[in-house]
Amino acid sequence: MKRQAFLVAFAFLISTQHVGAETINHAENYQTCMGLVREKPEKAFDMALNWKGYGGGEAAEHCIATALIAMKRYENGADRLERLADSSRRSKEFKAQLLAQSAQGWYLANQVDRARALLTTAIELDGTSAELYVDRAQMRSAQNSLHDALSDLNTALELDDMNVDALIFRGSIYRLTERFEEARSDIHRALALAPGNTEALLERGMLYRIEGKDAEARTDWMAVIEIDPSGDAAETARLNLERMDVNSGS
């Protein structure tokens, strides 16, 4: 299960500033810049660089770093986010979120050790955030440390027992470790909270397949493809359907 939260806009304390005859609304600039990141990251990058020269401060720097990651310049973006967290005068909880975003960039750059270390630092700053534990579980799972990943997910769910990502992720680990009853329980809870969640439907289909309930598995995987045909879950669902059809001789 992949989590990519690097496009999230942060609640910077920014307002309007007068520069000579020009009035700059920094809050509006930030929203515009972050809105460009997903569709036109190069334009967001150029805008943020220019804006930073007019007093954009941390908000402009955040948009620059986020745009770099969206442009797949993962190391540059992650490094800037890490340095922004180090230099920021904001709360430790805020810094923890910046570090978590930096960790996602390092993860995408295949520097999982660094990503995991940053998330550990983030958790030390804010041990009450369930999302930070889910993110570190991703890093630990990527390193095949499933026991440690499970520990993080257990903590996340103790902090927030309605965290759908944590339920699905823990369910997938239970499936991989053949704890099928516990896997079914977590996926059932996730789907009760988010009935159309494609990752949960994908996982339930896998559990049905393990039980030999091919018709039910097919229904779930077809639903995944219908809900989000271009998503990662849909790609996996298609592969699973192909394998099932080959194995059944159809």
PDB file of all heavy atoms in Angstrom, residues 175 179-185 203-217 221:
ATOM      1  N   ARG A 175      -2.717 -10.469   6.019  1.00  0.00           N
ATOM      2  CA  ARG A 175      -2.865 -11.417   4.906  1.00  0.00           C
ATOM      3  C   ARG A 175      -1.519 -12.007   4.520  1.00  0.00           C
ATOM      4  O   ARG A 175      -1.389 -13.230   4.322  1.00  0.00           O
ATOM      5  CB  ARG A 175      -3.498 -10.709   3.699  1.00  0.00           C
ATOM      6  CG  ARG A 175      -3.526 -11.573   2.441  1.00  0.00           C
ATOM      7  CD  ARG A 175      -4.179 -10.857   1.275  1.00  0.00           C
ATOM      8  NE  ARG A 175      -3.562  -9.580   0.959  1.00  0.00           N
ATOM      9  CZ  ARG A 175      -2.438  -9.438   0.248  1.00  0.00           C
ATOM     10  NH1 ARG A 175      -1.790 -10.506  -0.210  1.00  0.00           N
ATOM     11  NH2 ARG A 175      -1.949  -8.232  -0.003  1.00  0.00           N
ATOM     12  N   ARG A 179      -2.521 -14.448   8.669  1.00  0.00           N
ATOM     13  CA  ARG A 179      -3.443 -14.262   9.792  1.00  0.00           C
ATOM     14  C   ARG A 179      -4.757 -13.785   9.182  1.00  0.00           C
ATOM     15  O   ARG A 179      -5.169 -12.642   9.307  1.00  0.00           O
ATOM     16  CB  ARG A 179      -2.858 -13.270  10.794  1.00  0.00           C
ATOM     17  CG  ARG A 179      -1.583 -13.777  11.449  1.00  0.00           C
ATOM     18  CD  ARG A 179      -0.820 -12.709  12.200  1.00  0.00           C
ATOM     19  NE  ARG A 179      -1.548 -12.159  13.335  1.00  0.00           N
ATOM     20  CZ  ARG A 179      -1.030 -11.281  14.204  1.00  0.00           C
ATOM     21  NH1 ARG A 179       0.245 -10.893  14.062  1.00  0.00           N
ATOM     22  NH2 ARG A 179      -1.751 -10.822  15.196  1.00  0.00           N
ATOM     23  N   PHE A 180      -5.421 -14.711   8.508  1.00  0.00           N
ATOM     24  CA  PHE A 180      -6.529 -14.353   7.627  1.00  0.00           C
ATOM     25  C   PHE A 180      -7.761 -13.845   8.372  1.00  0.00           C
ATOM     26  O   PHE A 180      -8.446 -12.940   7.890  1.00  0.00           O
ATOM     27  CB  PHE A 180      -6.884 -15.544   6.737  1.00  0.00           C
ATOM     28  CG  PHE A 180      -5.755 -15.996   5.848  1.00  0.00           C
ATOM     29  CD1 PHE A 180      -5.327 -17.313   5.854  1.00  0.00           C
ATOM     30  CD2 PHE A 180      -5.109 -15.091   5.005  1.00  0.00           C
ATOM     31  CE1 PHE A 180      -4.282 -17.728   5.047  1.00  0.00           C
ATOM     32  CE2 PHE A 180      -4.059 -15.501   4.195  1.00  0.00           C
ATOM     33  CZ  PHE A 180      -3.645 -16.821   4.211  1.00  0.00           C
ATOM     34  N   GLU A 181      -8.046 -14.405   9.512  1.00  0.00           N
ATOM     35  CA  GLU A 181      -9.221 -13.950  10.258  1.00  0.00           C
ATOM     36  C   GLU A 181      -9.065 -12.490  10.682  1.00  0.00           C
ATOM     37  O   GLU A 181      -9.999 -11.682  10.561  1.00  0.00           O
ATOM     38  CB  GLU A 181      -9.443 -14.833  11.484  1.00  0.00           C
ATOM     39  CG  GLU A 181     -10.709 -14.485  12.259  1.00  0.00           C
ATOM     40  CD  GLU A 181     -10.991 -15.459  13.387  1.00  0.00           C
ATOM     41  OE1 GLU A 181     -10.359 -16.534  13.435  1.00  0.00           O
ATOM     42  OE2 GLU A 181     -11.854 -15.125  14.233  1.00  0.00           O
ATOM     43  N   GLU A 182      -7.856 -12.162  11.168  1.00  0.00           N
ATOM     44  CA  GLU A 182      -7.601 -10.774  11.562  1.00  0.00           C
ATOM     45  C   GLU A 182      -7.604  -9.846  10.346  1.00  0.00           C
ATOM     46  O   GLU A 182      -8.062  -8.699  10.425  1.00  0.00           O
ATOM     47  CB  GLU A 182      -6.263 -10.686  12.303  1.00  0.00           C
ATOM     48  CG  GLU A 182      -6.308 -11.346  13.676  1.00  0.00           C
ATOM     49  CD  GLU A 182      -4.943 -11.854  14.102  1.00  0.00           C
ATOM     50  OE1 GLU A 182      -4.388 -12.710  13.385  1.00  0.00           O
ATOM     51  OE2 GLU A 182      -4.452 -11.386  15.137  1.00  0.00           O
ATOM     52  N   ALA A 183      -7.098 -10.341   9.224  1.00  0.00           N
ATOM     53  CA  ALA A 183      -7.111  -9.550   7.988  1.00  0.00           C
ATOM     54  C   ALA A 183      -8.545  -9.240   7.577  1.00  0.00           C
ATOM     55  O   ALA A 183      -8.874  -8.086   7.248  1.00  0.00           O
ATOM     56  CB  ALA A 183      -6.398 -10.312   6.878  1.00  0.00           C
ATOM     57  N   ARG A 184      -9.409 -10.252   7.597  1.00  0.00           N
ATOM     58  CA  ARG A 184     -10.809 -10.036   7.221  1.00  0.00           C
ATOM     59  C   ARG A 184     -11.482  -9.016   8.141  1.00  0.00           C
ATOM     60  O   ARG A 184     -12.259  -8.165   7.699  1.00  0.00           O
ATOM     61  CB  ARG A 184     -11.577 -11.361   7.251  1.00  0.00           C
ATOM     62  CG  ARG A 184     -11.329 -12.242   6.037  1.00  0.00           C
ATOM     63  CD  ARG A 184     -12.295 -13.415   6.008  1.00  0.00           C
ATOM     64  NE  ARG A 184     -12.022 -14.362   7.090  1.00  0.00           N
ATOM     65  CZ  ARG A 184     -11.187 -15.383   6.996  1.00  0.00           C
ATOM     66  NH1 ARG A 184     -10.531 -15.598   5.867  1.00  0.00           N
ATOM     67  NH2 ARG A 184     -10.998 -16.203   8.009  1.00  0.00           N
ATOM     68  N   SER A 185     -11.169  -9.092   9.422  1.00  0.00           N
ATOM     69  CA  SER A 185     -11.762  -8.165  10.382  1.00  0.00           C
ATOM     70  C   SER A 185     -11.379  -6.725  10.071  1.00  0.00           C
ATOM     71  O   SER A 185     -12.236  -5.818  10.063  1.00  0.00           O
ATOM     72  CB  SER A 185     -11.315  -8.534  11.808  1.00  0.00           C
ATOM     73  OG  SER A 185     -11.806  -7.606  12.745  1.00  0.00           O
ATOM     74  N   GLU A 203      -7.987  -5.563  -1.381  1.00  0.00           N
ATOM     75  CA  GLU A 203      -7.583  -6.507  -0.337  1.00  0.00           C
ATOM     76  C   GLU A 203      -8.666  -7.552  -0.092  1.00  0.00           C
ATOM     77  O   GLU A 203      -8.369  -8.737   0.073  1.00  0.00           O
ATOM     78  CB  GLU A 203      -7.286  -5.767   0.965  1.00  0.00           C
ATOM     79  CG  GLU A 203      -5.899  -5.195   1.056  1.00  0.00           C
ATOM     80  CD  GLU A 203      -4.821  -6.268   1.073  1.00  0.00           C
ATOM     81  OE1 GLU A 203      -5.051  -7.354   1.640  1.00  0.00           O
ATOM     82  OE2 GLU A 203      -3.745  -6.022   0.521  1.00  0.00           O
ATOM     83  N   ARG A 204      -9.937  -7.117  -0.057  1.00  0.00           N
ATOM     84  CA  ARG A 204     -11.000  -8.092   0.182  1.00  0.00           C
ATOM     85  C   ARG A 204     -11.058  -9.107  -0.954  1.00  0.00           C
ATOM     86  O   ARG A 204     -11.290 -10.299  -0.734  1.00  0.00           O
ATOM     87  CB  ARG A 204     -12.356  -7.398   0.344  1.00  0.00           C
ATOM     88  CG  ARG A 204     -13.446  -8.367   0.831  1.00  0.00           C
ATOM     89  CD  ARG A 204     -14.738  -7.663   1.174  1.00  0.00           C
ATOM     90  NE  ARG A 204     -15.391  -7.110  -0.013  1.00  0.00           N
ATOM     91  CZ  ARG A 204     -16.569  -6.483   0.007  1.00  0.00           C
ATOM     92  NH1 ARG A 204     -17.199  -6.304   1.171  1.00  0.00           N
ATOM     93  NH2 ARG A 204     -17.107  -6.015  -1.106  1.00  0.00           N
ATOM     94  N   GLY A 205     -10.830  -8.639  -2.177  1.00  0.00           N
ATOM     95  CA  GLY A 205     -10.784  -9.567  -3.298  1.00  0.00           C
ATOM     96  C   GLY A 205      -9.686 -10.594  -3.141  1.00  0.00           C
ATOM     97  O   GLY A 205      -9.871 -11.777  -3.461  1.00  0.00           O
ATOM     98  N   MET A 206      -8.529 -10.163  -2.636  1.00  0.00           N
ATOM     99  CA  MET A 206      -7.432 -11.099  -2.412  1.00  0.00           C
ATOM    100  C   MET A 206      -7.810 -12.142  -1.357  1.00  0.00           C
ATOM    101  O   MET A 206      -7.491 -13.335  -1.493  1.00  0.00           O
ATOM    102  CB  MET A 206      -6.182 -10.333  -1.991  1.00  0.00           C
ATOM    103  CG  MET A 206      -5.581  -9.453  -3.075  1.00  0.00           C
ATOM    104  SD  MET A 206      -4.136  -8.543  -2.476  1.00  0.00           S
ATOM    105  CE  MET A 206      -3.668  -7.626  -3.945  1.00  0.00           C
ATOM    106  N   LEU A 207      -8.481 -11.699  -0.319  1.00  0.00           N
ATOM    107  CA  LEU A 207      -8.913 -12.635   0.725  1.00  0.00           C
ATOM    108  C   LEU A 207      -9.956 -13.615   0.185  1.00  0.00           C
ATOM    109  O   LEU A 207      -9.928 -14.811   0.509  1.00  0.00           O
ATOM    110  CB  LEU A 207      -9.462 -11.862   1.927  1.00  0.00           C
ATOM    111  CG  LEU A 207      -8.415 -11.074   2.725  1.00  0.00           C
ATOM    112  CD1 LEU A 207      -9.083 -10.110   3.689  1.00  0.00           C
ATOM    113  CD2 LEU A 207      -7.489 -12.022   3.483  1.00  0.00           C
ATOM    114  N   TYR A 208     -10.874 -13.121  -0.638  1.00  0.00           N
ATOM    115  CA  TYR A 208     -11.847 -14.018  -1.269  1.00  0.00           C
ATOM    116  C   TYR A 208     -11.133 -15.043  -2.136  1.00  0.00           C
ATOM    117  O   TYR A 208     -11.488 -16.239  -2.144  1.00  0.00           O
ATOM    118  CB  TYR A 208     -12.815 -13.214  -2.142  1.00  0.00           C
ATOM    119  CG  TYR A 208     -13.950 -12.558  -1.410  1.00  0.00           C
ATOM    120  CD1 TYR A 208     -14.395 -11.280  -1.774  1.00  0.00           C
ATOM    121  CD2 TYR A 208     -14.621 -13.208  -0.368  1.00  0.00           C
ATOM    122  CE1 TYR A 208     -15.457 -10.671  -1.120  1.00  0.00           C
ATOM    123  CE2 TYR A 208     -15.684 -12.600   0.292  1.00  0.00           C
ATOM    124  CZ  TYR A 208     -16.100 -11.334  -0.088  1.00  0.00           C
ATOM    125  OH  TYR A 208     -17.155 -10.730   0.561  1.00  0.00           O
ATOM    126  N   ARG A 209     -10.132 -14.601  -2.873  1.00  0.00           N
ATOM    127  CA  ARG A 209      -9.387 -15.512  -3.758  1.00  0.00           C
ATOM    128  C   ARG A 209      -8.706 -16.607  -2.951  1.00  0.00           C
ATOM    129  O   ARG A 209      -8.701 -17.785  -3.335  1.00  0.00           O
ATOM    130  CB  ARG A 209      -8.363 -14.699  -4.554  1.00  0.00           C
ATOM    131  CG  ARG A 209      -7.448 -15.516  -5.442  1.00  0.00           C
ATOM    132  CD  ARG A 209      -8.187 -16.256  -6.514  1.00  0.00           C
ATOM    133  NE  ARG A 209      -7.253 -16.879  -7.442  1.00  0.00           N
ATOM    134  CZ  ARG A 209      -7.515 -17.963  -8.150  1.00  0.00           C
ATOM    135  NH1 ARG A 209      -8.686 -18.565  -8.032  1.00  0.00           N
ATOM    136  NH2 ARG A 209      -6.618 -18.448  -8.978  1.00  0.00           N
ATOM    137  N   ILE A 210      -8.123 -16.224  -1.812  1.00  0.00           N
ATOM    138  CA  ILE A 210      -7.482 -17.211  -0.934  1.00  0.00           C
ATOM    139  C   ILE A 210      -8.493 -18.233  -0.438  1.00  0.00           C
ATOM    140  O   ILE A 210      -8.195 -19.427  -0.313  1.00  0.00           O
ATOM    141  CB  ILE A 210      -6.802 -16.488   0.257  1.00  0.00           C
ATOM    142  CG1 ILE A 210      -5.566 -15.733  -0.246  1.00  0.00           C
ATOM    143  CG2 ILE A 210      -6.410 -17.481   1.355  1.00  0.00           C
ATOM    144  CD1 ILE A 210      -5.003 -14.756   0.768  1.00  0.00           C
ATOM    145  N   GLU A 211      -9.728 -17.795  -0.200  1.00  0.00           N
ATOM    146  CA  GLU A 211     -10.786 -18.688   0.283  1.00  0.00           C
ATOM    147  C   GLU A 211     -11.408 -19.518  -0.844  1.00  0.00           C
ATOM    148  O   GLU A 211     -12.263 -20.378  -0.594  1.00  0.00           O
ATOM    149  CB  GLU A 211     -11.887 -17.865   0.950  1.00  0.00           C
ATOM    150  CG  GLU A 211     -11.451 -17.128   2.206  1.00  0.00           C
ATOM    151  CD  GLU A 211     -12.505 -16.145   2.687  1.00  0.00           C
ATOM    152  OE1 GLU A 211     -13.656 -16.229   2.219  1.00  0.00           O
ATOM    153  OE2 GLU A 211     -12.183 -15.296   3.529  1.00  0.00           O
ATOM    154  N   GLY A 212     -10.976 -19.251  -2.070  1.00  0.00           N
ATOM    155  CA  GLY A 212     -11.541 -19.970  -3.208  1.00  0.00           C
ATOM    156  C   GLY A 212     -12.853 -19.393  -3.699  1.00  0.00           C
ATOM    157  O   GLY A 212     -13.555 -20.015  -4.506  1.00  0.00           O
ATOM    158  N   LYS A 213     -13.191 -18.177  -3.264  1.00  0.00           N
ATOM    159  CA  LYS A 213     -14.433 -17.522  -3.684  1.00  0.00           C
ATOM    160  C   LYS A 213     -14.121 -16.616  -4.875  1.00  0.00           C
ATOM    161  O   LYS A 213     -14.074 -15.390  -4.770  1.00  0.00           O
ATOM    162  CB  LYS A 213     -15.033 -16.734  -2.530  1.00  0.00           C
ATOM    163  CG  LYS A 213     -15.426 -17.595  -1.336  1.00  0.00           C
ATOM    164  CD  LYS A 213     -16.009 -16.748  -0.200  1.00  0.00           C
ATOM    165  CE  LYS A 213     -16.421 -17.602   0.979  1.00  0.00           C
ATOM    166  NZ  LYS A 213     -16.951 -16.784   2.106  1.00  0.00           N
ATOM    167  N   ASP A 214     -13.920 -17.252  -6.015  1.00  0.00           N
ATOM    168  CA  ASP A 214     -13.459 -16.510  -7.189  1.00  0.00           C
ATOM    169  C   ASP A 214     -14.486 -15.504  -7.689  1.00  0.00           C
ATOM    170  O   ASP A 214     -14.122 -14.413  -8.153  1.00  0.00           O
ATOM    171  CB  ASP A 214     -13.102 -17.482  -8.313  1.00  0.00           C
ATOM    172  CG  ASP A 214     -11.834 -18.275  -7.999  1.00  0.00           C
ATOM    173  OD1 ASP A 214     -11.265 -18.073  -6.913  1.00  0.00           O
ATOM    174  OD2 ASP A 214     -11.416 -19.081  -8.846  1.00  0.00           O
ATOM    175  N   ALA A 215     -15.769 -15.843  -7.632  1.00  0.00           N
ATOM    176  CA  ALA A 215     -16.806 -14.926  -8.115  1.00  0.00           C
ATOM    177  C   ALA A 215     -16.816 -13.646  -7.288  1.00  0.00           C
ATOM    178  O   ALA A 215     -16.920 -12.535  -7.834  1.00  0.00           O
ATOM    179  CB  ALA A 215     -18.173 -15.604  -8.067  1.00  0.00           C
ATOM    180  N   GLU A 216     -16.685 -13.792  -5.973  1.00  0.00           N
ATOM    181  CA  GLU A 216     -16.673 -12.618  -5.095  1.00  0.00           C
ATOM    182  C   GLU A 216     -15.409 -11.782  -5.319  1.00  0.00           C
ATOM    183  O   GLU A 216     -15.459 -10.547  -5.316  1.00  0.00           O
ATOM    184  CB  GLU A 216     -16.770 -13.045  -3.634  1.00  0.00           C
ATOM    185  CG  GLU A 216     -18.114 -13.595  -3.226  1.00  0.00           C
ATOM    186  CD  GLU A 216     -18.248 -15.096  -3.477  1.00  0.00           C
ATOM    187  OE1 GLU A 216     -17.427 -15.657  -4.265  1.00  0.00           O
ATOM    188  OE2 GLU A 216     -19.166 -15.714  -2.908  1.00  0.00           O
ATOM    189  N   ALA A 217     -14.276 -12.483  -5.516  1.00  0.00           N
ATOM    190  CA  ALA A 217     -13.022 -11.775  -5.789  1.00  0.00           C
ATOM    191  C   ALA A 217     -13.147 -10.968  -7.077  1.00  0.00           C
ATOM    192  O   ALA A 217     -12.744  -9.796  -7.138  1.00  0.00           O
ATOM    193  CB  ALA A 217     -11.868 -12.766  -5.894  1.00  0.00           C
ATOM    194  N   TRP A 221     -12.693  -6.885  -7.575  1.00  0.00           N
ATOM    195  CA  TRP A 221     -11.642  -6.339  -8.436  1.00  0.00           C
ATOM    196  C   TRP A 221     -12.221  -5.545  -9.601  1.00  0.00           C
ATOM    197  O   TRP A 221     -11.664  -4.526 -10.001  1.00  0.00           O
ATOM    198  CB  TRP A 221     -10.736  -7.464  -8.928  1.00  0.00           C
ATOM    199  CG  TRP A 221      -9.914  -8.058  -7.812  1.00  0.00           C
ATOM    200  CD1 TRP A 221      -9.570  -7.454  -6.640  1.00  0.00           C
ATOM    201  CD2 TRP A 221      -9.338  -9.364  -7.771  1.00  0.00           C
ATOM    202  NE1 TRP A 221      -8.820  -8.305  -5.872  1.00  0.00           N
ATOM    203  CE2 TRP A 221      -8.650  -9.487  -6.529  1.00  0.00           C
ATOM    204  CE3 TRP A 221      -9.332 -10.457  -8.640  1.00  0.00           C
ATOM    205  CZ2 TRP A 221      -7.968 -10.643  -6.155  1.00  0.00           C
ATOM    206  CZ3 TRP A 221      -8.654 -11.609  -8.278  1.00  0.00           C
ATOM    207  CH2 TRP A 221      -7.973 -11.700  -7.043  1.00  0.00           C
TER     208      TRP A 221
END
